[in-house]
Amino acid sequence: MATVELRFSALPEHVRTARLVAAAVARRAGVDEAVLDEVRLAVGEACTRAVGLHQLSGVTAPVKVVLIEEEKQFSIEVGDEAPRSAPGDRAPGAAGGDADVEAEEDEMGLAVISGLVDDVEVTAGQHGGLIRMTWPTTPAVAELP
C-alpha cells in the first residue's frame, strides 16, 4: 500500500495544487483515465470546502490530503480541523442568517462530491471532519519485450 500525504495552508490558491497532485497519483495508481476529471473535481470541491471551514472557524492548521493506493482501489481523504457542533446548537441570541447560508453551501458541496464519487464517507465532530472518496483501479498490464 502506497500513501502520499499533502498538507497545505487553508488558502484557496493551494486547492489547484491539491487537484493536480491527486490526479497524477490517481493516474499512477491505475484509476481509469475516463474518471480522472471526476477525481480532480471531487478533490477540488472537498479541498475548497475544507479551506472555507478553516477560514470560517479561524483554524490556522493546514488542510490535510492523504492519497492511498491499495490493491484494487484508490482513496483520497481530505481532512479539516474545523470543529463542528450538533445541528441547532447556536449561542443564545446568535444570528442564524449567515450560519444558514454557510450550512446550505456546505450541503451543496457535499452533494456535488456525492454526485461525482460513488463511494464517499463523510465524518465530522468536535475536532474536525474527513471526507473519504474511493475509486476502483485496474491492475497495470505488463508490457511484453
Side-chain angles (χ1 to χ4, degrees), residues 8-11 47-64 78-84 127-129:
F8 62 90
S9 299
L11 298 169
C47 288
T48 297
R49 177 180 179 271
V51 166
L53 289 168
H54 274 218
Q55 290 179 343
L56 182 67
S57 300
V59 174
T60 58
V63 172
K64 181 177 171 183
V78 178
D80 66 75
E81 294 187 22
R84 313 295 201 292
H127 303 291

mmCIF file of all heavy atoms in Angstrom, residues 8-11 47-64 78-84 127-129:
data_model
loop_
_atom_site.group_PDB
_atom_site.id
_atom_site.type_symbol
_atom_site.label_atom_id
_atom_site.label_comp_id
_atom_site.label_asym_id
_atom_site.label_seq_id
_atom_site.Cartn_x
_atom_site.Cartn_y
_atom_site.Cartn_z
ATOM 1 N N PHE A 8 -1.484 21.614 3.239
ATOM 2 C CA PHE A 8 -1.333 22.966 2.702
ATOM 3 C C PHE A 8 -2.093 23.969 3.548
ATOM 4 O O PHE A 8 -3.086 23.630 4.191
ATOM 5 C CB PHE A 8 -1.762 23.045 1.231
ATOM 6 C CG PHE A 8 -3.214 22.724 0.967
ATOM 7 C CD1 PHE A 8 -4.173 23.722 0.979
ATOM 8 C CD2 PHE A 8 -3.610 21.428 0.685
ATOM 9 C CE1 PHE A 8 -5.504 23.445 0.728
ATOM 10 C CE2 PHE A 8 -4.947 21.138 0.420
ATOM 11 C CZ PHE A 8 -5.891 22.150 0.446
ATOM 12 N N SER A 9 -1.593 25.198 3.553
ATOM 13 C CA SER A 9 -2.258 26.284 4.278
ATOM 14 C C SER A 9 -3.661 26.455 3.718
ATOM 15 O O SER A 9 -3.877 26.297 2.516
ATOM 16 C CB SER A 9 -1.491 27.593 4.102
ATOM 17 O OG SER A 9 -0.193 27.459 4.612
ATOM 18 N N ALA A 10 -4.588 26.783 4.581
ATOM 19 C CA ALA A 10 -6.000 26.896 4.175
ATOM 20 C C ALA A 10 -6.231 28.165 3.357
ATOM 21 O O ALA A 10 -6.867 29.118 3.801
ATOM 22 C CB ALA A 10 -6.908 26.860 5.395
ATOM 23 N N LEU A 11 -5.683 28.162 2.155
ATOM 24 C CA LEU A 11 -5.834 29.272 1.219
ATOM 25 C C LEU A 11 -6.339 28.726 -0.108
ATOM 26 O O LEU A 11 -5.858 27.682 -0.574
ATOM 27 C CB LEU A 11 -4.492 29.986 1.015
ATOM 28 C CG LEU A 11 -3.887 30.623 2.264
ATOM 29 C CD1 LEU A 11 -2.446 31.057 1.995
ATOM 30 C CD2 LEU A 11 -4.740 31.795 2.717
ATOM 31 N N CYS A 47 -11.456 20.025 -1.041
ATOM 32 C CA CYS A 47 -10.429 20.930 -0.519
ATOM 33 C C CYS A 47 -10.971 22.349 -0.354
ATOM 34 O O CYS A 47 -10.670 23.017 0.640
ATOM 35 C CB CYS A 47 -9.202 20.923 -1.431
ATOM 36 S SG CYS A 47 -8.239 19.401 -1.334
ATOM 37 N N THR A 48 -11.774 22.804 -1.306
ATOM 38 C CA THR A 48 -12.388 24.132 -1.202
ATOM 39 C C THR A 48 -13.273 24.196 0.043
ATOM 40 O O THR A 48 -13.272 25.193 0.778
ATOM 41 C CB THR A 48 -13.208 24.449 -2.464
ATOM 42 O OG1 THR A 48 -12.307 24.476 -3.580
ATOM 43 C CG2 THR A 48 -13.929 25.778 -2.353
ATOM 44 N N ARG A 49 -14.007 23.139 0.296
ATOM 45 C CA ARG A 49 -14.869 23.058 1.477
ATOM 46 C C ARG A 49 -14.017 23.129 2.747
ATOM 47 O O ARG A 49 -14.330 23.874 3.678
ATOM 48 C CB ARG A 49 -15.668 21.757 1.423
ATOM 49 C CG ARG A 49 -16.558 21.509 2.611
ATOM 50 C CD ARG A 49 -17.308 20.179 2.420
ATOM 51 N NE ARG A 49 -18.143 19.897 3.552
ATOM 52 C CZ ARG A 49 -17.747 19.232 4.637
ATOM 53 N NH1 ARG A 49 -16.502 18.777 4.725
ATOM 54 N NH2 ARG A 49 -18.573 19.015 5.637
ATOM 55 N N ALA A 50 -12.926 22.358 2.790
ATOM 56 C CA ALA A 50 -12.059 22.354 3.973
ATOM 57 C C ALA A 50 -11.427 23.729 4.196
ATOM 58 O O ALA A 50 -11.370 24.213 5.333
ATOM 59 C CB ALA A 50 -10.979 21.282 3.818
ATOM 60 N N VAL A 51 -10.985 24.370 3.125
ATOM 61 C CA VAL A 51 -10.403 25.711 3.229
ATOM 62 C C VAL A 51 -11.437 26.680 3.797
ATOM 63 O O VAL A 51 -11.156 27.448 4.716
ATOM 64 C CB VAL A 51 -9.877 26.201 1.859
ATOM 65 C CG1 VAL A 51 -9.592 27.700 1.885
ATOM 66 C CG2 VAL A 51 -8.634 25.425 1.458
ATOM 67 N N GLY A 52 -12.647 26.622 3.276
ATOM 68 C CA GLY A 52 -13.717 27.501 3.750
ATOM 69 C C GLY A 52 -14.037 27.276 5.222
ATOM 70 O O GLY A 52 -14.213 28.235 5.974
ATOM 71 N N LEU A 53 -14.084 26.014 5.633
ATOM 72 C CA LEU A 53 -14.367 25.702 7.035
ATOM 73 C C LEU A 53 -13.244 26.208 7.945
ATOM 74 O O LEU A 53 -13.505 26.742 9.024
ATOM 75 C CB LEU A 53 -14.555 24.196 7.220
ATOM 76 C CG LEU A 53 -15.847 23.622 6.635
ATOM 77 C CD1 LEU A 53 -15.790 22.104 6.611
ATOM 78 C CD2 LEU A 53 -17.063 24.104 7.422
ATOM 79 N N HIS A 54 -12.006 26.059 7.514
ATOM 80 C CA HIS A 54 -10.878 26.562 8.307
ATOM 81 C C HIS A 54 -10.950 28.079 8.435
ATOM 82 O O HIS A 54 -10.771 28.621 9.528
ATOM 83 C CB HIS A 54 -9.545 26.163 7.657
ATOM 84 C CG HIS A 54 -9.070 24.807 8.061
ATOM 85 N ND1 HIS A 54 -7.748 24.527 8.279
ATOM 86 C CD2 HIS A 54 -9.729 23.645 8.289
ATOM 87 C CE1 HIS A 54 -7.607 23.254 8.625
ATOM 88 N NE2 HIS A 54 -8.807 22.699 8.628
ATOM 89 N N GLN A 55 -11.191 28.757 7.322
ATOM 90 C CA GLN A 55 -11.249 30.216 7.356
ATOM 91 C C GLN A 55 -12.414 30.702 8.205
ATOM 92 O O GLN A 55 -12.272 31.641 8.978
ATOM 93 C CB GLN A 55 -11.324 30.766 5.939
ATOM 94 C CG GLN A 55 -10.027 30.574 5.178
ATOM 95 C CD GLN A 55 -10.075 31.091 3.756
ATOM 96 O OE1 GLN A 55 -11.144 31.322 3.184
ATOM 97 N NE2 GLN A 55 -8.911 31.284 3.165
ATOM 98 N N LEU A 56 -13.554 30.054 8.081
ATOM 99 C CA LEU A 56 -14.739 30.424 8.845
ATOM 100 C C LEU A 56 -14.523 30.245 10.354
ATOM 101 O O LEU A 56 -14.951 31.072 11.154
ATOM 102 C CB LEU A 56 -15.935 29.581 8.385
ATOM 103 C CG LEU A 56 -17.263 29.865 9.033
ATOM 104 C CD1 LEU A 56 -17.754 31.249 8.645
ATOM 105 C CD2 LEU A 56 -18.277 28.816 8.621
ATOM 106 N N SER A 57 -13.823 29.176 10.715
ATOM 107 C CA SER A 57 -13.613 28.857 12.129
ATOM 108 C C SER A 57 -12.359 29.499 12.705
ATOM 109 O O SER A 57 -12.083 29.351 13.895
ATOM 110 C CB SER A 57 -13.512 27.339 12.306
ATOM 111 O OG SER A 57 -14.684 26.722 11.863
ATOM 112 N N GLY A 58 -11.552 30.128 11.861
ATOM 113 C CA GLY A 58 -10.318 30.731 12.335
ATOM 114 C C GLY A 58 -9.233 29.706 12.650
ATOM 115 O O GLY A 58 -8.322 29.974 13.425
ATOM 116 N N VAL A 59 -9.326 28.531 12.035
ATOM 117 C CA VAL A 59 -8.340 27.473 12.252
ATOM 118 C C VAL A 59 -7.103 27.764 11.407
ATOM 119 O O VAL A 59 -7.214 28.014 10.206
ATOM 120 C CB VAL A 59 -8.934 26.089 11.872
ATOM 121 C CG1 VAL A 59 -7.876 25.000 11.958
ATOM 122 C CG2 VAL A 59 -10.130 25.763 12.756
ATOM 123 N N THR A 60 -5.931 27.735 12.027
ATOM 124 C CA THR A 60 -4.695 28.021 11.292
ATOM 125 C C THR A 60 -3.957 26.752 10.868
ATOM 126 O O THR A 60 -2.980 26.825 10.132
ATOM 127 C CB THR A 60 -3.744 28.887 12.140
ATOM 128 O OG1 THR A 60 -3.471 28.198 13.358
ATOM 129 C CG2 THR A 60 -4.363 30.251 12.429
ATOM 130 N N ALA A 61 -4.424 25.609 11.317
ATOM 131 C CA ALA A 61 -3.791 24.333 10.953
ATOM 132 C C ALA A 61 -3.959 24.092 9.447
ATOM 133 O O ALA A 61 -4.904 24.585 8.834
ATOM 134 C CB ALA A 61 -4.435 23.194 11.735
ATOM 135 N N PRO A 62 -3.050 23.331 8.858
ATOM 136 C CA PRO A 62 -3.173 23.053 7.421
ATOM 137 C C PRO A 62 -4.294 22.064 7.110
ATOM 138 O O PRO A 62 -4.706 21.285 7.971
ATOM 139 C CB PRO A 62 -1.814 22.441 7.061
ATOM 140 C CG PRO A 62 -1.272 21.898 8.335
ATOM 141 C CD PRO A 62 -1.835 22.760 9.435
ATOM 142 N N VAL A 63 -4.763 22.130 5.881
ATOM 143 C CA VAL A 63 -5.700 21.127 5.363
ATOM 144 C C VAL A 63 -4.850 19.914 5.009
ATOM 145 O O VAL A 63 -3.731 20.045 4.514
ATOM 146 C CB VAL A 63 -6.435 21.663 4.108
ATOM 147 C CG1 VAL A 63 -7.258 20.568 3.441
ATOM 148 C CG2 VAL A 63 -7.310 22.853 4.481
ATOM 149 N N LYS A 64 -5.365 18.728 5.269
ATOM 150 C CA LYS A 64 -4.600 17.502 5.041
ATOM 151 C C LYS A 64 -5.275 16.663 3.954
ATOM 152 O O LYS A 64 -6.478 16.417 4.010
ATOM 153 C CB LYS A 64 -4.524 16.709 6.347
ATOM 154 C CG LYS A 64 -3.738 15.432 6.276
ATOM 155 C CD LYS A 64 -3.693 14.788 7.655
ATOM 156 C CE LYS A 64 -3.103 13.408 7.621
ATOM 157 N NZ LYS A 64 -3.125 12.765 8.928
ATOM 158 N N VAL A 78 -9.674 13.887 2.569
ATOM 159 C CA VAL A 78 -9.463 15.320 2.773
ATOM 160 C C VAL A 78 -9.950 15.634 4.182
ATOM 161 O O VAL A 78 -11.131 15.459 4.491
ATOM 162 C CB VAL A 78 -10.214 16.170 1.721
ATOM 163 C CG1 VAL A 78 -10.017 17.657 2.000
ATOM 164 C CG2 VAL A 78 -9.745 15.812 0.310
ATOM 165 N N GLY A 79 -9.019 16.066 5.018
ATOM 166 C CA GLY A 79 -9.340 16.331 6.415
ATOM 167 C C GLY A 79 -9.203 17.797 6.775
ATOM 168 O O GLY A 79 -8.341 18.502 6.261
ATOM 169 N N ASP A 80 -10.095 18.236 7.635
ATOM 170 C CA ASP A 80 -10.021 19.598 8.153
ATOM 171 C C ASP A 80 -10.040 19.523 9.676
ATOM 172 O O ASP A 80 -10.354 18.478 10.232
ATOM 173 C CB ASP A 80 -11.185 20.454 7.633
ATOM 174 C CG ASP A 80 -12.530 19.980 8.154
ATOM 175 O OD1 ASP A 80 -12.835 20.227 9.345
ATOM 176 O OD2 ASP A 80 -13.288 19.363 7.381
ATOM 177 N N GLU A 81 -9.685 20.615 10.317
ATOM 178 C CA GLU A 81 -9.690 20.662 11.779
ATOM 179 C C GLU A 81 -10.711 21.662 12.320
ATOM 180 O O GLU A 81 -10.598 22.122 13.453
ATOM 181 C CB GLU A 81 -8.284 20.964 12.296
ATOM 182 C CG GLU A 81 -7.308 19.838 12.002
ATOM 183 C CD GLU A 81 -5.954 20.029 12.653
ATOM 184 O OE1 GLU A 81 -5.845 20.772 13.648
ATOM 185 O OE2 GLU A 81 -4.993 19.413 12.148
ATOM 186 N N ALA A 82 -11.705 21.989 11.500
ATOM 187 C CA ALA A 82 -12.744 22.928 11.927
ATOM 188 C C ALA A 82 -13.742 22.200 12.828
ATOM 189 O O ALA A 82 -14.329 21.203 12.422
ATOM 190 C CB ALA A 82 -13.451 23.511 10.707
ATOM 191 N N PRO A 83 -13.922 22.666 14.045
ATOM 192 C CA PRO A 83 -14.844 21.997 14.963
ATOM 193 C C PRO A 83 -16.292 22.110 14.490
ATOM 194 O O PRO A 83 -16.697 23.112 13.910
ATOM 195 C CB PRO A 83 -14.632 22.729 16.289
ATOM 196 C CG PRO A 83 -14.045 24.047 15.918
ATOM 197 C CD PRO A 83 -13.326 23.862 14.621
ATOM 198 N N ARG A 84 -17.052 21.056 14.712
ATOM 199 C CA ARG A 84 -18.482 21.058 14.381
ATOM 200 C C ARG A 84 -19.265 20.836 15.660
ATOM 201 O O ARG A 84 -18.830 20.138 16.560
ATOM 202 C CB ARG A 84 -18.866 19.923 13.425
ATOM 203 C CG ARG A 84 -18.013 19.705 12.234
ATOM 204 C CD ARG A 84 -18.023 20.856 11.240
ATOM 205 N NE ARG A 84 -17.596 20.427 9.925
ATOM 206 C CZ ARG A 84 -16.381 20.040 9.613
ATOM 207 N NH1 ARG A 84 -15.442 20.006 10.513
ATOM 208 N NH2 ARG A 84 -16.084 19.666 8.391
ATOM 209 N N HIS A 127 -13.413 17.816 16.589
ATOM 210 C CA HIS A 127 -12.014 18.053 16.202
ATOM 211 C C HIS A 127 -11.822 18.152 14.700
ATOM 212 O O HIS A 127 -10.689 18.086 14.223
ATOM 213 C CB HIS A 127 -11.122 16.964 16.797
ATOM 214 C CG HIS A 127 -11.241 16.872 18.284
ATOM 215 N ND1 HIS A 127 -10.764 17.857 19.126
ATOM 216 C CD2 HIS A 127 -11.819 15.944 19.081
ATOM 217 C CE1 HIS A 127 -11.029 17.529 20.380
ATOM 218 N NE2 HIS A 127 -11.675 16.373 20.382
ATOM 219 N N GLY A 128 -12.911 18.279 13.955
ATOM 220 C CA GLY A 128 -12.794 18.431 12.507
ATOM 221 C C GLY A 128 -13.560 17.371 11.754
ATOM 222 O O GLY A 128 -14.331 16.608 12.326
ATOM 223 N N GLY A 129 -13.327 17.356 10.457
ATOM 224 C CA GLY A 129 -14.060 16.432 9.613
ATOM 225 C C GLY A 129 -13.148 15.744 8.612
ATOM 226 O O GLY A 129 -11.986 16.121 8.433
#
